[in-house]
Amino acid sequence: MRTTPLGGTGVRVTELSFGAAGIGNLYRPVTAEAAFAAVDAAWDAGIRTFDTAPHYGLGLSERRLGTALCERPRDTYTVSTKVGRLLEPNPRGGAGDDRAHGFAVSDTHRRVWDFSADGVLRSLEASLDRLGLDRVDVALLHDPDDHAEQALTEAYPALERLRDEGVVKAIGIGTNHCALPARFLRETDIDVVLLAGRYTLLEQEGLAEVLPEAAARGRSVIIGGVFNSGLLTDPRPGATYDYAPAPRSVLDRALRLKAIAARHGVPLRAAALHFPFGHRAVASVLSGARSAEEVRDTVDRLRHPVPAALWDELHAEGLLAPDTPVPAATPSKEAP
């Protein structure tokens, strides 16, 4: 599978990255066996980039990912995790669950926002312990939108020092909003932005500032949420968009996208996976999975050829703005 460097760092990411929120019991329980099988399937498909966070399942995602990768040569894969939420023991001792935050796990811990320098160090130390690794390759500020000033003045300098010391190789920000990552690109020396849901076949808000800023400064963008919370997986009444039922106008737009893709013999999911690669700043697309079957299906969709005529029709129908960059016509992907 093709790899691309993140900014000017030596960190390389595969074109498809494995998002590990699902194996942290996102929305519903996943057995350990299924979680490990998902990582194995990703590895077999040539995926060598794995993203996790303490937030995902109150550390369950990190623990499972670390176990799944522990016997593989450390220099052969890239791992990113995030800082900004510390996990502290819950005084209630796990009497309830964490479904209010989206994860089907016992609430043995609680999340505490902390973008201080000390919080960054504590978070990474705890993540390494859960992962069972001696290092992570990429450290990202996780959803700092409501803590912008502390993230800029305390957390970012701490990450920059860790990069200078070689503790991590690349640093950046991960969010599903555009304003703050654009500011980080202008005001700091981050290497990468993980942008979720804001540069997709359905909407291209990231094209206003984030992607042009990254390209101009030689930084990289990883695109997550390419299916817009599921809507571009199967557009239908009740499908979710931004983690809530899709408004009718948004659903209608997704159905138009699906119909045009179908006319060109392309599954909508395939078009959604290919679309971000039209922009030169995009290094990888991050897609979550909770089973080996989901991984294999996603890889198959990425290998599905997408003709230039599909992008032409989307432009002509006004579903993509005239200046929206699109990928070149793609032949079938070769097996790794």
Side-chain angles (χ1 to χ4, degrees), residues 58 87-98 106-110:
L58 295 172
L87 301 182
E88 295 186 351
N90 190 336
R92 296 189 301 168
D97 61 49
D98 192 51
S106 298
D107 60 348
T108 55
H109 290 72
R110 61 180 182 176

Side-chain angles (χ1 to χ4, degrees), residues 22-46:
I23 65 171
N25 287 11
L26 180 64
Y27 302 134
R28 62 181 186 269
V30 174
T31 66
E33 292 75 16
F36 300 148
V39 177
D40 287 344
W43 191 273
D44 292 343

